[in-house]
Amino acid sequence: MSKTFTVKAEAREKVGKGAARHLRRTGMIPAVIYGDKQDPLPIAIPYKETFLALHAGGFMTHVGTIEVGGQSIQVLPKDYQLEPVRDFLMHVDFLRVSEKSRVTVEVPVHFENEEASPGLKRGGVLNVVRHEVEIECPATAIPEAFTVDLTGLEIGDSIHASALTLPKNVELTITDRDFTIATIAAPAALRSEEDEAEEAAAAAESAEAQAESDQED
């Protein structure tokens, strides 16, 4: 299960650009909690604490608790806005969740045992097609990451979604195909050699065919 976080927030009575600017000058940023068939709750959260959580990794897959107005509300970050020039955190949207909630999230894919892959040892390249995989799962049981074992993989081998070990009640959102997650690609030098060999073989076959044709004539 993913890690959790706790944020102490304040309820916001005023909304709008002016109120948001005032919050940011005091080291807070505007946010909102919505969902679970309840009215949206505008809140203010500490900028520094939230910024560090965002850049620690996995922020969008970590269920947290927001303490506000005497309540402890379980939430999942669903969106955030950054100031386009300075990457200043401007706003965060949180979704209310419970033990019964199911959510759609993107979970990172990690790779291990690269040293045990014969293809990579021969100079092959790990070509990652999907760094994250979208799943549907209980909000309180989001996997931290999926791990793919590269042991024994050769150049030309592919890793598909079926290779992932899904925990109980976790489902892939793409179910109509066994999509590719990564491949072990040949290095550029080897590909060039193979192309040259194929061209030489084709030229030889063409020459043989021409020679046979000349003999028949």
Side-chain angles (χ1 to χ4, degrees), residues 32-53:
V32 64
I33 302 173
Y34 68 94
D36 199 26
K37 299 180 180 179
Q38 298 183 44
D39 292 335
L41 175 61
I43 59 173
I45 55 179
Y47 176 85
K48 183 177 180 180
E49 184 178 337
T50 309
F51 183 83
L52 291 175

Side-chain angles (χ1 to χ4, degrees), residues 193-214:
E193 291 174 3
E194 290 176 347
D195 291 342
E196 290 175 1
E198 289 177 1
E199 290 174 2
E205 289 179 5
S206 177
E208 289 177 5
Q210 184 63 44
E212 291 176 358
S213 176
D214 292 343

Side-chain angles (χ1 to χ4, degrees), residues 76-93:
L76 177 69
K78 290 300 290 182
D79 195 15
Y80 61 89
Q81 290 82 47
L82 297 176
E83 199 273 333
V85 177
R86 298 173 297 165
D87 278 348
F88 189 92
L89 185 59
M90 302 288 287
H91 189 277
V92 183
D93 293 346

Side-chain angles (χ1 to χ4, degrees), residues 2 58-63 76-78 95 97 102-108 132-139 141-144 146 170-173:
S2 290
F59 182 66
M60 303 300 288
T61 58
H62 290 173
V63 171
L76 177 69
K78 290 300 290 182
L95 175 69
V97 296
R102 288 186 67 84
V103 295
T104 299
V105 294
E106 291 189 340
V107 174
E132 296 178 325
V133 174
E134 188 177 73
I135 61 169
E136 181 184 311
C137 65
I142 301 173
E144 190 71 23
F146 292 116
V170 174
E171 300 174 356
L172 298 172
T173 58

Side-chain angles (χ1 to χ4, degrees), residues 64-170:
T65 301
I66 292 182
E67 298 177 351
V68 56
Q71 302 181 71
S72 293
I73 305 173
Q74 270 198 315
V75 298
L76 177 69
K78 290 300 290 182
D79 195 15
Y80 61 89
Q81 290 82 47
L82 297 176
E83 199 273 333
V85 177
R86 298 173 297 165
D87 278 348
F88 189 92
L89 185 59
M90 302 288 287
H91 189 277
V92 183
D93 293 346
F94 295 100
L95 175 69
R96 285 188 184 89
V97 296
S98 67
E99 293 183 357
K100 296 181 180 179
S101 301
R102 288 186 67 84
V103 295
T104 299
V105 294
E106 291 189 340
V107 174
V109 179
H110 297 164
F111 300 89
E112 65 178 9
N113 297 326
E114 294 188 20
E115 71 284 354
S117 164
L120 294 178
K121 282 185 176 181
R122 290 173 51 210
V125 178
L126 178 62
N127 176 37
V128 180
V129 179
R130 291 176 181 267
H131 292 273
E132 296 178 325
V133 174
E134 188 177 73
I135 61 169
E136 181 184 311
C137 65
T140 55
I142 301 173
E144 190 71 23
F146 292 116
T147 301
V148 174
D149 188 356
L150 301 177
T151 299
L153 295 186
E154 297 280 1
I155 290 175
D157 285 346
S158 297
I159 303 153
H160 295 94
S162 55
L164 299 177
T165 300
L166 300 179
K168 183 179 179 181
N169 295 324
V170 174

